[in-house]
Amino acid sequence: MPQNLSTNTSDRLIEANPDCENWIVDDDSSTEAYYPQETELTVDPYRLFRFLSDLEDILLDIPGDRDRLKAIMPLVRHLLTSSYWLQMEYDQPSPKTGWSVKMLYREPEYPLTVQMVAWQPRSVSPIHNHGVWGIVALISGEEKNRFWKRSPTAEHPDRLELVGEKILQPGEIISFMPGAIHSVESIGDEPTISFNLYGETNYKQRYEFDVTNHTAKNF
Ligand SMILES: [Fe+2]
């Protein structure tokens, strides 16, 4: 455990807090924020296998990504407020890359991955979209999200424009439509730890952007 990571376990656990927002970032990177419903704040036991079964039902029953995100976010909140063990299931960030990913669930031929991701303090991600819907629940640390939208010109078809930002606090959940473009910075002195959930990536639609040279490339 890094020296700068709090040794008080309870400091790093998501509480059932009605002030923690849910955010949705649309394909054009516009955002919608709302507070969780009372029913999302229950700490009644909610097992990982049941969460995964409920997810499968949602993916089968709901066709649109945005409606899926709205349906899944309350389940993520319920899972995390009731499953303290899950919040501790992460690997320390690699000193080489500055981050780590611990896979909690992945099954061949099934379009879903569940991960715990850790970033060293002051790490900055490239500007990117995911080419798939995704949900990130912050468990520890502070994470600054910057939102970008496409703003093409004749000369620079991959030009971007900064349209907003949000500092994600522990207990807050942010979800992304496949076209949403963002960059992430781990701010503060602690690593950021998050619970991440993604559908099936369309790699042809997933890009990293260079905002200085106005270019984009698949990754
Ligand atoms: Fe991302």
Side-chain angles (χ1 to χ4, degrees):
M1 181 172 292
Q3 286 173 341
N4 58 3
L5 183 59
S6 166
T7 52
N8 183 352
T9 299
S10 63
D11 284 353
R12 302 201 302 277
L13 299 176
I14 287 188
E15 305 280 341
N17 181 350
D19 295 328
C20 286
E21 291 178 323
N22 296 333
W23 279 58
I24 293 186
V25 189
D26 256 308
D27 280 320
D28 64 356
S29 294
S30 62
T31 56
E32 178 192 349
Y34 58 96
Y35 289 109
Q37 307 278 319
E38 190 85 5
T39 50
E40 295 174 41
L41 300 171
T42 173
V43 292
D44 293 346
Y46 189 37
R47 307 288 173 210
L48 183 57
F49 73 87
R50 205 174 289 282
F51 170 77
L52 292 169
S53 300
D54 289 345
L55 269 187
E56 184 174 31
D57 289 346
I58 287 171
L59 297 179
L60 288 170
D61 294 344
I62 302 179
D65 283 342
R66 203 175 194 289
D67 290 337
R68 285 174 168 177
L69 292 174
K70 281 215 151 180
I72 297 169
M73 279 198 290
L75 306 189
V76 170
R77 184 172 296 286
H78 186 186
L79 180 74
L80 291 178
T81 51
S82 69
S83 302
Y84 284 2
W85 69 271
L86 195 55
Q87 299 180 32
M88 309 310 294
E89 290 289 319
Y90 62 89
D91 293 331
Q92 296 302 330
S94 152
K96 246 186 192 169
T97 62
W99 52 271
S100 74
V101 175
K102 180 172 187 173
M103 216 42 96
L104 294 177
Y105 174 77
R106 178 174 51 182
E107 193 171 316
E109 310 294 321
Y110 187 62
L112 194 69
T113 54
V114 183
Q115 317 167 352
M116 292 293 282
V117 178
W119 286 87
Q120 269 178 356
R122 290 172 288 282
S123 304
V124 185
S125 80
I127 302 170
H128 62 281
N129 73 331
H130 286 268
V132 65
W133 61 264
I135 297 180
V136 174
L138 196 69
I139 288 166
S140 175
E142 278 186 307
E143 185 182 276
K144 181 187 268 193
N145 273 260
R146 290 188 178 90
F147 308 119
W148 309 76
K149 76 167 186 184
R150 286 183 173 275
S151 180
T153 62
E155 194 184 354
H156 299 299
D158 290 316
R159 183 176 175 273
L160 296 185
E161 187 183 328
L162 183 66
V163 289
E165 65 176 48
K166 156 79 180 159
I167 295 179
L168 207 63
Q169 302 287 347
E172 292 189 314
I173 299 174
I174 190 165
S175 60
F176 299 94
M177 290 289 284
I181 301 169
H182 77 147
S183 57
V184 172
E185 180 179 358
S186 170
I187 59 175
D189 297 325
E190 278 195 38
T192 55
I193 315 291
S194 60
F195 174 92
N196 295 15
L197 185 66
Y198 299 102
E200 187 174 28
T201 303
N202 178 345
Y203 292 96
K204 286 185 181 156
Q205 295 298 319
R206 193 177 75 167
Y207 296 98
E208 245 178 48
F209 298 87
D210 178 336
V211 78
T212 308
N213 296 307
H214 310 299
T215 55
K217 63 171 199 276
N218 285 119
F219 75 103

